Amino acid sequence: MLAIDNTNIIDLGRGNGLPGFAPKVAYAYDATAKTVTVTDTTTYQSGDSKKKLIVRVHDKFGKKVEGTDAAAVSTAALNASKPFDVTITLITTKDLVTDGGAYDIQAAGEASKWDRQYR
């Protein structure tokens, strides 16, 4: 008798990523327009795609604004005296979920800190 039957969760890839799924999101910060725009360039597993991408831009004083990759996120309500942080939640049509971030952002870059907790 097994104390816990974990056969349905073996090989899910927790902590090591899932085969064929590689989250990748680029950002562009426009200080003049006071916007952050993100572009999803994720590699998805066969039969999977982006369901939702949530973007949060944070200032260093506790304020945040939220948007998606469908339009630029306005940072006009944030304090720009220090660099912003961007956190991203990516949800796929197969309900894989991962969070990523970019910190002290410059004009452009990539979210490179992904949590790798996919389910």
Side-chain angles (χ1 to χ4, degrees):
M1 180 168 116
L2 293 173
I4 299 173
D5 181 5
N6 66 352
T7 55
N8 64 335
I9 63 170
I10 293 175
D11 297 325
L12 278 181
R14 288 189 190 272
N16 297 320
L18 296 172
F21 181 62
K24 189 174 178 183
V25 176
Y27 70 83
Y29 171 54
D30 185 335
T32 305
K34 297 182 180 181
T35 60
V36 172
T37 304
V38 298
T39 305
D40 178 29
T41 57
T42 297
T43 302
Y44 294 93
Q45 292 178 310
S46 177
D48 203 2
S49 62
K50 177 184 71 176
K51 179 178 184 180
K52 189 173 191 179
L53 192 140
I54 303 165
V55 179
R56 294 175 190 90
V57 182
H58 310 260
D59 67 17
K60 301 292 194 229
F61 302 92
K63 287 189 175 184
K64 72 177 178 181
V65 292
E66 189 172 298
T68 69
D69 60 335
V73 178
S74 173
T75 61
L78 301 179
N79 184 334
S81 63
K82 294 183 179 183
F84 296 131
D85 298 333
V86 177
T87 57
I88 297 151
T89 300
L90 175 61
I91 305 166
T92 75
T93 56
K94 289 187 175 181
D95 290 327
L96 301 177
V97 179
T98 188
D99 296 307
Y103 305 94
D104 295 332
I105 66 171
Q106 302 298 315
E110 256 183 30
S112 59
K113 308 291 184 190
W114 293 98
D115 70 357
R116 303 291 184 206
Q117 297 298 316
Y118 295 125
R119 290 207 186 242

